[in-house]
Structures are given as structure tokens and as C-alpha cells.
Coordinates of all heavy atoms in Angstrom, one line a residue:
M1 N -67.6 137.2 -103.9 CA -66.7 136.8 -103.1 C -66.7 137.3 -101.7 O -66.9 138.6 -101.5 CB -65.3 137.1 -103.7 CG -64.1 136.4 -103.0 SD -62.7 136.6 -104.0 CE -61.5 137.0 -102.7
N2 N -66.7 136.5 -100.8 CA -66.8 137.0 -99.4 C -65.3 137.2 -98.8 O -64.6 136.3 -98.7 CB -67.6 136.0 -98.5 CG -68.0 136.3 -97.2 OD1 -67.5 137.5 -96.7 ND2 -68.7 135.6 -96.5
D3 N -65.1 138.4 -98.3 CA -63.8 138.7 -97.8 C -63.7 138.7 -96.3 O -62.7 139.1 -95.8 CB -63.4 140.2 -98.3 CG -63.1 140.3 -99.7 OD1 -62.6 139.2 -100.3 OD2 -63.1 141.4 -100.2
E4 N -64.9 138.1 -95.7 CA -64.7 138.0 -94.3 C -63.8 136.9 -93.8 O -63.7 135.8 -94.4 CB -66.2 137.6 -93.8 CG -67.1 138.7 -93.6 CD -68.4 138.3 -93.0 OE1 -68.3 137.5 -92.0 OE2 -69.5 138.8 -93.4
F5 N -63.2 137.2 -92.8 CA -62.2 136.2 -92.1 C -62.9 135.1 -91.4 O -63.8 135.3 -90.7 CB -61.4 136.9 -91.2 CG -60.3 136.2 -90.5 CD1 -59.1 135.6 -91.2 CD2 -60.4 135.7 -89.3 CE1 -58.2 134.8 -90.8 CE2 -59.3 134.9 -88.7 CZ -58.4 134.4 -89.5
N6 N -62.8 133.9 -91.8 CA -63.4 132.7 -91.2 C -62.4 132.1 -90.0 O -61.6 131.4 -90.4 CB -63.7 131.7 -92.3 CG -64.5 130.5 -91.8 OD1 -64.3 130.1 -90.7 ND2 -65.2 129.9 -92.6
V7 N -62.8 132.5 -88.9 CA -62.0 132.1 -87.8 C -61.9 130.5 -87.6 O -60.9 130.0 -87.3 CB -62.5 132.7 -86.4 CG1 -61.8 132.2 -85.3 CG2 -62.4 134.2 -86.5
G8 N -63.1 129.9 -87.8 CA -63.1 128.4 -87.7 C -62.3 127.7 -88.7 O -61.4 126.9 -88.3
A9 N -62.3 128.3 -89.8 CA -61.5 127.6 -90.9 C -60.0 127.9 -90.7 O -59.2 127.0 -90.9 CB -61.8 128.2 -92.3
F10 N -59.7 129.0 -90.2 CA -58.4 129.5 -89.9 C -57.7 128.5 -88.7 O -56.8 128.0 -88.9 CB -58.2 130.9 -89.3 CG -56.9 131.3 -88.9 CD1 -55.9 131.6 -89.6 CD2 -56.8 131.4 -87.5 CE1 -54.6 132.0 -89.1 CE2 -55.6 131.8 -86.9 CZ -54.4 132.0 -87.6
R11 N -58.5 128.2 -87.7 CA -58.2 127.4 -86.7 C -58.0 126.0 -87.1 O -57.0 125.4 -86.6 CB -59.1 127.6 -85.3 CG -59.0 128.8 -84.7 CD -59.9 128.9 -83.5 NE -59.7 130.2 -82.8 CZ -60.6 130.8 -82.1 NH1 -61.8 130.2 -82.0 NH2 -60.4 132.0 -81.5
R12 N -58.8 125.4 -87.9 CA -58.8 124.1 -88.4 C -57.4 124.0 -89.1 O -56.6 123.0 -88.9 CB -60.0 123.7 -89.3 CG -61.2 123.4 -88.5 CD -62.2 122.9 -89.3 NE -62.7 123.7 -90.3 CZ -63.5 124.8 -90.1 NH1 -64.1 124.9 -89.0 NH2 -64.1 125.5 -91.1
R13 N -57.1 125.0 -90.1 CA -56.0 125.0 -90.8 C -54.7 125.0 -89.9 O -53.6 124.2 -90.0 CB -55.8 126.0 -91.9 CG -56.6 125.8 -93.1 CD -56.4 126.8 -94.3 NE -56.4 128.1 -93.8 CZ -57.6 128.9 -93.8 NH1 -58.7 128.4 -94.3 NH2 -57.6 130.2 -93.5
L14 N -54.7 125.9 -89.0 CA -53.7 126.0 -87.9 C -53.4 124.7 -87.1 O -52.3 124.3 -86.9 CB -54.0 127.2 -87.0 CG -52.9 127.6 -85.9 CD1 -51.5 127.8 -86.6 CD2 -53.3 128.6 -85.0
N15 N -54.5 124.1 -86.7 CA -54.3 122.9 -86.0 C -53.7 121.7 -86.8 O -52.9 121.1 -86.3 CB -55.7 122.5 -85.4 CG -56.1 123.3 -84.2 OD1 -55.3 123.9 -83.4 ND2 -57.5 123.3 -84.1
R16 N -54.0 121.7 -88.1 CA -53.5 120.7 -88.9 C -52.0 121.0 -89.1 O -51.2 120.0 -89.1 CB -54.1 120.8 -90.4 CG -55.4 119.9 -90.5 CD -55.7 119.6 -92.0 NE -55.9 120.9 -92.6 CZ -57.1 121.7 -92.7 NH1 -58.2 121.2 -92.1 NH2 -57.1 122.7 -93.4
E17 N -51.6 122.2 -89.4 CA -50.3 122.6 -89.6 C -49.5 122.3 -88.2 O -48.3 121.9 -88.3 CB -50.0 124.1 -89.9 CG -50.6 124.4 -91.2 CD -49.7 123.6 -92.3 OE1 -48.4 123.7 -92.2 OE2 -50.2 123.1 -93.3
L18 N -50.1 122.7 -87.0 CA -49.5 122.3 -85.9 C -49.1 120.8 -85.6 O -48.1 120.3 -85.1 CB -50.2 122.9 -84.7 CG -50.0 124.4 -84.6 CD1 -51.0 125.0 -83.5 CD2 -48.8 124.9 -84.4
E19 N -50.1 119.9 -86.0 CA -50.0 118.6 -86.0 C -48.8 118.0 -86.8 O -48.0 117.3 -86.5 CB -51.3 117.9 -86.4 CG -52.3 117.9 -85.3 CD -53.7 117.4 -85.8 OE1 -53.7 116.7 -86.9 OE2 -54.7 117.8 -85.2
V20 N -48.8 118.7 -88.1 CA -47.7 118.2 -89.0 C -46.4 118.6 -88.4 O -45.3 117.9 -88.4 CB -48.1 118.9 -90.4 CG1 -46.7 118.8 -91.2 CG2 -49.2 118.2 -91.1
S21 N -46.3 119.8 -87.9 CA -45.1 120.3 -87.3 C -44.6 119.4 -86.2 O -43.4 119.1 -86.1 CB -45.1 121.8 -86.9 OG -45.1 122.6 -87.9
E22 N -45.6 119.1 -85.3 CA -45.2 118.1 -84.3 C -44.6 116.9 -84.7 O -43.6 116.4 -84.1 CB -46.5 117.9 -83.3 CG -45.9 117.1 -82.1 CD -47.3 116.9 -81.2 OE1 -48.3 117.5 -81.4 OE2 -47.1 116.0 -80.2
I23 N -45.2 116.2 -85.7 CA -44.7 114.9 -86.2 C -43.3 115.3 -86.9 O -42.4 114.5 -86.6 CB -45.7 114.4 -87.2 CG1 -47.0 114.0 -86.7 CG2 -45.1 113.3 -88.1 CD1 -48.3 113.8 -87.7
A24 N -43.2 116.3 -87.6 CA -41.8 116.6 -88.2 C -40.8 116.8 -87.1 O -39.7 116.3 -87.3 CB -42.0 117.8 -89.2
F25 N -41.1 117.7 -86.1 CA -40.1 117.8 -85.1 C -39.8 116.7 -84.1 O -38.8 116.7 -83.5 CB -40.4 119.0 -84.3 CG -40.0 120.4 -85.0 CD1 -40.9 121.1 -85.7 CD2 -38.7 120.8 -84.9 CE1 -40.5 122.2 -86.3 CE2 -38.3 122.0 -85.4 CZ -39.3 122.7 -86.2
N26 N -40.4 115.5 -84.3 CA -40.2 114.4 -83.6 C -39.7 113.3 -84.6 O -39.5 112.1 -84.3 CB -41.3 113.9 -82.9 CG -41.6 114.8 -81.8 OD1 -40.8 115.2 -81.0 ND2 -42.9 115.1 -81.6
G27 N -39.6 113.7 -85.9 CA -39.2 112.7 -86.9 C -37.7 112.4 -87.3 O -36.9 112.7 -86.4
E28 N -37.5 111.9 -88.4 CA -36.1 111.5 -88.7 C -35.1 112.5 -88.6 O -33.9 112.4 -88.3 CB -36.2 110.9 -90.2 CG -34.9 110.4 -90.7 CD -34.4 109.1 -90.2 OE1 -35.2 108.4 -89.7 OE2 -33.2 108.9 -90.2
Y29 N -35.5 113.8 -89.0 CA -34.6 114.9 -89.1 C -34.9 116.0 -88.0 O -34.7 117.1 -88.3 CB -34.7 115.5 -90.5 CG -34.3 114.4 -91.5 CD1 -35.2 113.9 -92.3 CD2 -33.0 114.1 -91.7 CE1 -34.9 113.0 -93.3 CE2 -32.7 113.1 -92.8 CZ -33.6 112.6 -93.4 OH -33.3 111.6 -94.4
A30 N -35.3 115.7 -86.8 CA -35.5 116.5 -85.8 C -34.3 117.4 -85.3 O -34.6 118.6 -85.2 CB -36.1 115.7 -84.6
E31 N -33.2 116.8 -85.3 CA -32.0 117.4 -84.9 C -31.7 118.5 -85.9 O -31.2 119.6 -85.7 CB -30.9 116.5 -84.7 CG -30.9 115.8 -83.4 CD -31.0 116.8 -82.2 OE1 -30.1 117.7 -82.0 OE2 -31.9 116.4 -81.2
E32 N -31.8 118.1 -87.2 CA -31.5 119.0 -88.4 C -32.4 120.2 -88.3 O -32.0 121.4 -88.5 CB -31.5 118.2 -89.6 CG -30.5 117.4 -90.0 CD -30.6 115.9 -89.2 OE1 -31.7 115.7 -88.5 OE2 -29.8 115.0 -89.5
L33 N -33.6 119.9 -88.0 CA -34.6 121.0 -87.9 C -34.3 122.0 -86.8 O -34.4 123.3 -86.9 CB -36.1 120.5 -87.7 CG -36.7 120.0 -88.9 CD1 -38.0 119.4 -88.6 CD2 -37.0 121.1 -89.9
K34 N -33.9 121.4 -85.6 CA -33.4 122.3 -84.6 C -32.3 123.1 -84.8 O -32.2 124.3 -84.6 CB -33.0 121.5 -83.4 CG -34.3 120.8 -82.5 CD -33.8 119.9 -81.5 CE -34.9 119.0 -81.0 NZ -34.5 118.1 -80.0
H35 N -31.3 122.5 -85.6 CA -30.1 123.4 -86.0 C -30.5 124.5 -87.0 O -30.0 125.6 -86.9 CB -29.0 122.4 -86.5 CG -28.2 121.7 -85.6 ND1 -28.5 120.4 -85.1 CD2 -27.1 122.1 -84.9 CE1 -27.6 120.1 -84.2 NE2 -26.7 121.0 -84.1
L36 N -31.3 124.0 -88.0 CA -31.7 125.1 -88.9 C -32.5 126.1 -88.3 O -32.3 127.4 -88.6 CB -32.7 124.4 -89.9 CG -31.9 123.8 -91.2 CD1 -33.0 122.9 -91.9 CD2 -31.1 124.6 -92.1
S37 N -33.3 125.8 -87.4 CA -34.3 126.8 -86.6 C -33.4 127.8 -85.7 O -33.8 128.9 -85.5 CB -35.3 126.3 -85.8 OG -36.1 125.4 -86.6
G38 N -32.2 127.1 -85.3 CA -31.3 128.0 -84.5 C -30.4 129.0 -85.3 O -29.7 129.8 -84.6
L39 N -30.3 128.9 -86.6 CA -29.3 129.8 -87.3 C -29.9 131.2 -87.1 O -31.1 131.4 -87.2 CB -29.4 129.4 -88.7 CG -28.7 128.0 -89.1 CD1 -28.9 127.9 -90.6 CD2 -27.3 127.9 -88.7
S40 N -28.9 132.1 -87.0 CA -29.2 133.5 -86.8 C -29.6 134.1 -88.1 O -29.1 133.6 -89.2 CB -28.2 134.3 -85.9 OG -27.0 134.4 -86.9
K41 N -30.2 135.3 -88.1 CA -30.5 136.0 -89.3 C -29.1 136.5 -90.1 O -29.0 136.4 -91.2 CB -31.4 137.1 -89.1 CG -31.9 137.9 -90.3 CD -32.9 138.9 -89.8 CE -33.5 139.6 -91.1 NZ -34.5 140.6 -90.8
D42 N -28.1 136.8 -89.1 CA -26.8 137.2 -89.7 C -26.1 136.1 -90.3 O -25.5 136.2 -91.4 CB -26.0 137.8 -88.4 CG -26.5 139.1 -88.0 OD1 -27.2 139.9 -88.8 OD2 -26.0 139.5 -86.9
E43 N -26.3 134.9 -89.7 CA -25.6 133.6 -90.4 C -26.3 133.4 -91.8 O -25.6 133.1 -92.8 CB -25.8 132.4 -89.5 CG -24.9 132.4 -88.2 CD -25.3 131.2 -87.4 OE1 -26.4 131.0 -86.9 OE2 -24.4 130.4 -87.3
I44 N -27.5 133.5 -91.9 CA -28.2 133.3 -93.1 C -27.9 134.4 -94.2 O -27.5 134.2 -95.3 CB -29.7 133.2 -92.8 CG1 -30.0 132.1 -92.0 CG2 -30.5 133.2 -94.3 CD1 -31.4 132.1 -91.4
A45 N -27.9 135.7 -93.6 CA -27.7 136.8 -94.5 C -26.3 136.7 -95.1 O -26.0 137.3 -96.1 CB -27.9 138.1 -93.8
A46 N -25.3 136.3 -94.4 CA -24.0 136.1 -94.8 C -23.7 135.3 -96.0 O -22.7 135.4 -96.8 CB -23.1 135.6 -93.5
I47 N -24.6 134.3 -96.3 CA -24.6 133.5 -97.5 C -24.8 134.2 -98.8 O -24.0 133.9 -99.8 CB -25.7 132.3 -97.3 CG1 -25.2 131.4 -96.1 CG2 -25.7 131.5 -98.6 CD1 -26.1 130.5 -95.7
T48 N -25.8 135.1 -98.8 CA -25.9 135.9 -100.0 C -26.3 137.4 -99.6 O -26.9 137.6 -98.6 CB -27.1 135.4 -100.9 OG1 -28.3 135.4 -100.2 CG2 -26.8 134.0 -101.4
P49 N -26.0 138.2 -100.5 CA -26.2 139.7 -100.1 C -27.6 140.2 -100.4 O -28.0 141.3 -100.0 CB -25.2 140.6 -101.0 CG -25.0 139.5 -102.3 CD -25.2 138.1 -101.7
D50 N -28.5 139.3 -100.9 CA -29.8 139.8 -101.2 C -30.9 139.0 -100.4 O -30.5 138.3 -99.4 CB -30.2 139.7 -102.7 CG -30.1 138.2 -103.1 OD1 -30.1 137.3 -102.4 OD2 -29.8 138.1 -104.4
D51 N -32.2 139.3 -100.5 CA -33.3 138.8 -99.8 C -33.5 137.3 -100.1 O -34.3 136.7 -99.5 CB -34.5 139.5 -99.9 CG -34.3 140.8 -99.3 OD1 -33.6 141.0 -98.2 OD2 -35.2 141.8 -99.5
L52 N -32.9 136.8 -101.2 CA -33.0 135.4 -101.5 C -32.7 134.4 -100.5 O -33.4 133.4 -100.4 CB -32.2 135.1 -102.8 CG -32.5 133.7 -103.4 CD1 -33.7 133.6 -103.9 CD2 -31.3 133.6 -104.6
D53 N -31.8 134.8 -99.6 CA -31.3 133.8 -98.7 C -32.5 133.5 -97.7 O -32.6 132.3 -97.2 CB -30.0 134.2 -97.9 CG -30.2 135.7 -97.6 OD1 -31.2 136.4 -97.8 OD2 -29.2 136.3 -96.8
L54 N -33.2 134.4 -97.3 CA -34.3 134.2 -96.4 C -35.4 133.4 -96.8 O -36.0 132.5 -96.3 CB -34.8 135.6 -95.8 CG -33.9 136.3 -94.9 CD1 -34.6 137.7 -94.4 CD2 -33.5 135.4 -93.7
Q55 N -35.7 133.6 -98.2 CA -36.6 132.8 -98.8 C -36.3 131.4 -99.0 O -37.0 130.5 -98.8 CB -37.0 133.4 -100.2 CG -37.9 132.6 -101.1 CD -38.3 133.1 -102.5 OE1 -37.9 134.2 -102.7 NE2 -38.8 132.3 -103.3
K56 N -34.9 131.3 -99.4 CA -34.4 129.8 -99.5 C -34.3 129.1 -98.2 O -34.6 127.9 -98.1 CB -33.0 129.8 -100.2 CG -33.2 130.1 -101.7 CD -34.0 129.0 -102.4 CE -34.2 129.4 -103.9 NZ -34.9 128.4 -104.5
Y57 N -34.0 129.9 -97.1 CA -34.0 129.3 -95.8 C -35.4 128.9 -95.3 O -35.3 127.6 -94.9 CB -33.6 130.5 -94.8 CG -33.6 130.1 -93.4 CD1 -32.8 129.1 -92.8 CD2 -34.5 130.9 -92.5 CE1 -32.8 128.8 -91.5 CE2 -34.6 130.5 -91.3 CZ -33.8 129.5 -90.5 OH -33.8 129.3 -89.4
D58 N -36.4 129.6 -95.7 CA -37.8 129.2 -95.3 C -38.1 127.9 -96.1 O -38.6 126.9 -95.6 CB -38.8 130.3 -95.7 CG -40.2 130.0 -95.3 OD1 -40.4 129.6 -94.1 OD2 -40.9 130.1 -96.2
E59 N -37.7 127.9 -97.4 CA -38.0 126.7 -98.2 C -37.3 125.5 -97.8 O -37.7 124.4 -97.7 CB -37.7 127.0 -99.7 CG -38.5 128.0 -100.4 CD -38.0 128.4 -101.8 OE1 -37.1 127.9 -102.3 OE2 -38.7 129.4 -102.3
L60 N -36.1 125.6 -97.4 CA -35.2 124.6 -96.8 C -35.9 124.0 -95.5 O -36.0 122.8 -95.4 CB -33.8 125.1 -96.5 CG -32.8 124.0 -96.0 CD1 -32.7 122.9 -96.9 CD2 -31.5 124.7 -95.7
I61 N -36.4 124.8 -94.7 CA -37.0 124.4 -93.5 C -38.3 123.6 -93.7 O -38.5 122.5 -93.3 CB -37.3 125.6 -92.5 CG1 -35.9 126.0 -91.8 CG2 -38.4 125.2 -91.4 CD1 -36.3 127.1 -90.8
V62 N -39.0 124.1 -94.7 CA -40.3 123.3 -95.1 C -39.9 122.1 -95.6 O -40.5 121.0 -95.3 CB -41.0 124.2 -96.1 CG1 -42.2 123.4 -96.7 CG2 -41.6 125.4 -95.5
L63 N -38.9 122.0 -96.4 CA -38.4 120.8 -97.1 C -38.0 119.7 -96.1 O -38.3 118.6 -96.0 CB -37.3 121.0 -98.1 CG -36.5 119.7 -98.6 CD1 -37.4 118.9 -99.5 CD2 -35.3 120.2 -99.4
V64 N -37.0 120.2 -95.1 CA -36.5 119.4 -94.0 C -37.7 118.9 -93.1 O -37.7 117.7 -92.7 CB -35.3 119.8 -93.2 CG1 -35.0 119.0 -92.2 CG2 -34.2 120.2 -94.3
K65 N -38.6 119.8 -92.9 CA -39.7 119.4 -92.1 C -40.7 118.3 -92.6 O -40.9 117.3 -92.1 CB -40.7 120.6 -91.8 CG -41.7 120.5 -90.7 CD -42.5 121.7 -90.5 CE -41.8 122.9 -89.9 NZ -42.7 124.0 -89.6
E66 N -40.8 118.4 -94.0 CA -41.6 117.3 -94.6 C -40.8 116.0 -94.8 O -41.3 114.9 -94.6 CB -42.0 117.9 -96.0 CG -42.8 116.9 -96.8 CD -44.3 116.5 -96.2 OE1 -44.6 117.2 -95.3 OE2 -44.9 115.6 -96.7
A67 N -39.5 116.2 -95.0 CA -38.7 115.1 -95.1 C -38.7 114.3 -93.8 O -38.7 113.1 -93.7 CB -37.2 115.5 -95.4
S68 N -38.6 115.0 -92.7 CA -38.7 114.5 -91.3 C -40.0 113.8 -91.1 O -40.2 112.7 -90.6 CB -38.4 115.5 -90.3 OG -38.4 114.8 -89.0
R69 N -41.1 114.4 -91.5 CA -42.5 113.9 -91.3 C -42.7 112.5 -91.9 O -43.2 111.6 -91.3 CB -43.5 115.0 -91.7 CG -45.0 114.5 -91.4 CD -46.0 115.4 -92.0 NE -46.1 115.3 -93.4 CZ -46.6 114.4 -94.1 NH1 -47.4 113.2 -93.4 NH2 -46.8 114.2 -95.4
V70 N -42.1 112.4 -93.2 CA -42.3 111.2 -94.0 C -41.1 110.2 -93.9 O -41.1 109.2 -94.6 CB -42.7 111.6 -95.4 CG1 -43.9 112.5 -95.6 CG2 -41.5 112.2 -96.2
N71 N -40.2 110.5 -93.1 CA -38.9 109.8 -92.9 C -38.1 109.4 -94.3 O -37.9 108.3 -94.7 CB -39.3 108.5 -92.2 CG -39.7 108.7 -90.8 OD1 -39.1 109.6 -90.1 ND2 -40.6 108.0 -90.2
L72 N -38.0 110.6 -95.1 CA -37.4 110.5 -96.3 C -36.0 110.0 -96.2 O -35.2 110.3 -95.2 CB -37.3 111.8 -96.9 CG -37.0 112.0 -98.5 CD1 -38.0 111.3 -99.3 CD2 -37.0 113.4 -98.9
E73 N -35.5 109.3 -97.1 CA -34.1 108.7 -97.0 C -33.2 109.8 -97.2 O -33.5 110.8 -98.0 CB -33.9 107.5 -97.9 CG -34.3 107.7 -99.4 CD -34.2 106.4 -100.2 OE1 -34.9 105.5 -99.9 OE2 -33.3 106.3 -101.0
Q74 N -32.1 109.8 -96.6 CA -31.0 110.8 -96.8 C -30.6 111.1 -98.2 O -30.5 112.2 -98.5 CB -29.7 110.3 -95.9 CG -30.0 110.3 -94.5 CD -28.8 110.0 -93.7 OE1 -27.8 109.4 -94.3 NE2 -28.7 110.2 -92.3
A75 N -30.3 110.2 -99.1 CA -30.0 110.5 -100.4 C -31.0 111.3 -101.2 O -30.7 112.2 -101.9 CB -29.7 109.1 -101.2
K76 N -32.2 111.0 -100.8 CA -33.4 111.8 -101.6 C -33.5 113.1 -100.9 O -33.7 114.2 -101.6 CB -34.7 111.0 -101.3 CG -35.9 111.6 -102.0 CD -35.8 111.5 -103.4 CE -36.9 111.9 -104.3 NZ -36.6 112.2 -105.7
L77 N -33.2 113.2 -99.6 CA -33.2 114.6 -99.1 C -32.1 115.5 -99.5 O -32.3 116.6 -100.0 CB -33.0 114.5 -97.5 CG -32.9 115.9 -96.7 CD1 -34.1 116.7 -97.0 CD2 -32.7 115.7 -95.2
A78 N -30.9 114.9 -99.8 CA -29.8 115.6 -100.4 C -30.2 116.2 -101.8 O -29.9 117.2 -102.2 CB -28.6 114.7 -100.3
E79 N -30.8 115.1 -102.6 CA -31.3 115.6 -104.0 C -32.2 116.6 -103.8 O -32.2 117.6 -104.6 CB -31.8 114.2 -104.5 CG -32.2 114.4 -106.0 CD -32.9 113.0 -106.4 OE1 -32.4 112.0 -106.1 OE2 -34.0 113.2 -107.1
E80 N -33.2 116.7 -103.1 CA -34.1 117.6 -102.9 C -33.6 119.1 -102.4 O -34.0 120.1 -103.0 CB -35.3 117.3 -102.0 CG -36.1 116.1 -102.5 CD -36.7 116.4 -103.9 OE1 -37.4 117.4 -104.1 OE2 -36.7 115.5 -104.7
I81 N -32.7 119.0 -101.6 CA -32.0 120.2 -101.1 C -31.3 120.8 -102.3 O -31.3 122.0 -102.5 CB -30.9 119.9 -99.9 CG1 -31.8 119.7 -98.7 CG2 -30.1 121.2 -99.7 CD1 -31.0 119.2 -97.4
K82 N -30.6 120.0 -103.0 CA -29.8 120.5 -104.2 C -30.8 121.1 -105.2 O -30.3 122.1 -105.9 CB -28.9 119.4 -104.9 CG -27.8 119.0 -104.0 CD -27.1 117.7 -104.6 CE -26.0 117.2 -103.7 NZ -25.3 116.0 -104.1
K83 N -32.0 120.5 -105.4 CA -32.9 121.2 -106.3 C -33.5 122.5 -105.9 O -33.8 123.4 -106.9 CB -34.2 120.3 -106.5 CG -34.0 119.1 -107.1 CD -35.3 118.2 -107.1 CE -35.2 116.9 -107.9 NZ -36.4 116.1 -107.9
L84 N -33.2 122.9 -104.6 CA -33.6 124.3 -104.2 C -32.4 125.3 -104.6 O -32.7 126.4 -104.6 CB -33.7 124.3 -102.6 CG -34.9 123.6 -102.0 CD1 -34.8 123.7 -100.6 CD2 -36.2 124.2 -102.7
G85 N -31.3 124.8 -104.9 CA -30.3 125.6 -105.5 C -29.1 125.9 -104.5 O -29.1 125.5 -103.4
D86 N -28.2 126.7 -105.1 CA -27.0 126.9 -104.4 C -27.1 127.7 -102.9 O -26.5 127.3 -102.0 CB -25.9 127.7 -105.1 CG -25.3 127.0 -106.4 OD1 -25.5 125.8 -106.2 OD2 -25.0 127.7 -107.3
V87 N -28.0 128.6 -103.0 CA -28.3 129.3 -101.6 C -28.6 128.2 -100.6 O -28.1 128.3 -99.4 CB -29.1 130.4 -101.9 CG1 -29.6 131.1 -100.4 CG2 -28.6 131.5 -102.6
A88 N -29.7 127.5 -101.0 CA -30.2 126.4 -99.9 C -29.1 125.5 -99.7 O -29.1 125.2 -98.4 CB -31.4 125.8 -100.6
V89 N -28.4 125.0 -100.5 CA -27.3 124.1 -100.3 C -26.3 124.8 -99.1 O -25.8 124.1 -98.2 CB -26.6 123.7 -101.5 CG1 -25.2 122.9 -101.1 CG2 -27.4 122.9 -102.4
N90 N -25.9 126.0 -99.5 CA -24.9 126.7 -98.5 C -25.6 126.9 -97.3 O -24.8 126.7 -96.2 CB -24.6 128.0 -99.0 CG -23.6 127.8 -100.3 OD1 -22.9 126.9 -100.5 ND2 -23.7 128.8 -101.3
I91 N -26.9 127.2 -97.1 CA -27.5 127.3 -95.8 C -27.5 125.9 -95.1 O -27.1 125.7 -94.0 CB -28.9 127.7 -95.9 CG1 -28.9 129.1 -96.4 CG2 -29.7 127.7 -94.6 CD1 -30.4 129.8 -96.7
A92 N -27.8 124.7 -95.9 CA -27.8 123.4 -95.3 C -26.5 123.1 -94.8 O -26.4 122.3 -93.8 CB -28.3 122.4 -96.2
K93 N -25.4 123.5 -95.5 CA -24.0 123.1 -95.0 C -23.7 123.7 -93.7 O -22.7 123.4 -93.1 CB -23.1 123.6 -96.0 CG -23.1 122.7 -97.2 CD -22.1 123.2 -98.2 CE -22.1 122.2 -99.5 NZ -21.1 122.6 -100.5
K94 N -24.5 124.7 -93.1 CA -24.3 125.3 -91.8 C -24.8 124.2 -90.7 O -24.4 124.4 -89.5 CB -25.1 126.6 -91.6 CG -24.8 127.7 -92.5 CD -23.6 128.3 -91.9 CE -23.3 129.6 -92.8 NZ -22.1 130.5 -92.4
V95 N -25.5 123.2 -91.1 CA -25.8 122.2 -90.2 C -25.0 121.0 -90.4 O -25.0 120.3 -91.6 CB -27.4 121.8 -90.5 CG1 -27.8 120.7 -89.5 CG2 -28.2 122.9 -90.2
P96 N -24.1 120.6 -89.5 CA -23.1 119.5 -89.9 C -23.7 118.2 -90.4 O -23.2 117.7 -91.4 CB -22.5 119.4 -88.5 CG -22.6 120.6 -87.8 CD -23.9 121.1 -88.2
S97 N -24.8 117.8 -89.9 CA -25.3 116.6 -90.3 C -26.0 116.6 -91.8 O -26.0 115.6 -92.5 CB -26.4 116.0 -89.4 OG -27.5 117.0 -89.3
L98 N -26.4 117.8 -92.2 CA -26.9 118.1 -93.5 C -25.6 118.3 -94.5 O -25.7 117.8 -95.6 CB -27.8 119.3 -93.7 CG -29.2 119.1 -93.0 CD1 -29.9 120.5 -93.1 CD2 -30.0 118.0 -93.6
A99 N -24.6 118.9 -94.0 CA -23.4 119.1 -94.8 C -22.9 117.7 -95.2 O -22.2 117.7 -96.3 CB -22.4 119.9 -94.0
G100 N -23.0 116.8 -94.2 CA -22.4 115.5 -94.5 C -23.2 114.7 -95.7 O -22.6 113.9 -96.3
L101 N -24.4 115.3 -95.9 CA -25.2 114.6 -97.0 C -24.9 115.2 -98.2 O -25.1 114.6 -99.4 CB -26.7 114.6 -96.7 CG -27.3 114.2 -95.4 CD1 -28.7 114.6 -95.4 CD2 -27.1 112.8 -95.4
L102 N -24.3 116.5 -98.2 CA -24.3 117.1 -99.5 C -22.7 117.1 -99.9 O -22.4 117.5 -101.0 CB -24.6 118.6 -99.3 CG -26.1 118.9 -98.8 CD1 -26.3 120.2 -98.4 CD2 -27.0 118.4 -99.9

């Protein structure tokens, strides 16, 4: 196994991720992504007393980003957020337009 860092492969993956992010931040849920990204660490930490909140916050952003990229319908997005659990639902409720879905 080769442990060398492959700069070319890294850059290709990074460029793909940046393209996906650009599409997502211009998609159906662009405003929701802006609101989620704008939540402070204190706002997120207030939801649960452990580190689970930051992990769920990250998962929620990934979910909303992908939902935005594929223009997922609102009912399906709400269903997927609920599958992430109570912490993710409580974080999503900090965003008024997501709260309205839940």
C-alpha cells in the first residue's frame, strides 16, 4: 500500500466537491443552506449537551446540500431530516423555512 499523498487525485476530488457545492448553493434550498451555515456554534451546542449536535449539524448540511442539488421535494426532505433524528430536527427548526416543513 502506498501512503504517498496524491496531489492530483486530491485536486480532482476537491474540484468535483466544489462543483457539487456550487450547484447546491444555487439550488432549491439555497436559502436554507445559507441559514444553516450561519448558525453559530453556541446555537448548535444549545440543542444538546454533547458532541452529537455538531455531527448531526454536519449531516444535516450534507443532506440539505444534496436535496438542493437534486431539487428534492419538500415532503421528502422533511422525511429525510426526521431520519437523522431529534437533534437534526431541532437544528433544522432553527431555520424558519425548514421548521415549516417539520
Side-chain angles (χ1 to χ4, degrees):
M1 184 169 142
N2 187 353
D3 288 335
E4 280 188 40
F5 180 71
N6 184 325
V7 174
F10 172 79
R11 286 189 178 144
R12 284 189 297 278
R13 281 191 307 273
L14 179 61
N15 285 335
R16 271 194 310 270
E17 288 298 318
L18 291 173
E19 288 173 13
V20 167
S21 285
E22 182 178 352
I23 292 167
F25 275 95
N26 292 312
E28 179 77 21
Y29 301 104
E31 284 301 312
E32 288 79 359
L33 282 170
K34 287 178 192 174
H35 280 91
L36 279 174
S37 297
L39 293 177
S40 73
K41 192 172 183 177
D42 289 338
E43 287 175 296
I44 298 162
I47 293 169
T48 60
D50 57 26
D51 290 336
L52 179 63
D53 49 358
L54 290 177
Q55 179 184 346
K56 288 299 175 179
Y57 173 67
D58 187 52
E59 291 173 8
L60 181 61
I61 287 182
V62 169
L63 171 64
V64 175
K65 191 182 288 187
E66 182 61 11
S68 186
R69 188 184 72 77
V70 301
N71 294 321
L72 191 67
E73 53 187 69
Q74 291 181 347
K76 187 66 175 164
L77 175 59
E79 181 181 317
E80 293 300 319
I81 291 171
K82 290 174 186 174
K83 285 180 184 177
L84 290 178
D86 291 339
V87 172
V89 168
N90 288 333
I91 294 169
K93 286 181 178 179
K94 297 280 188 181
V95 177
S97 54
L98 291 177
L101 300 178
L102 301 167

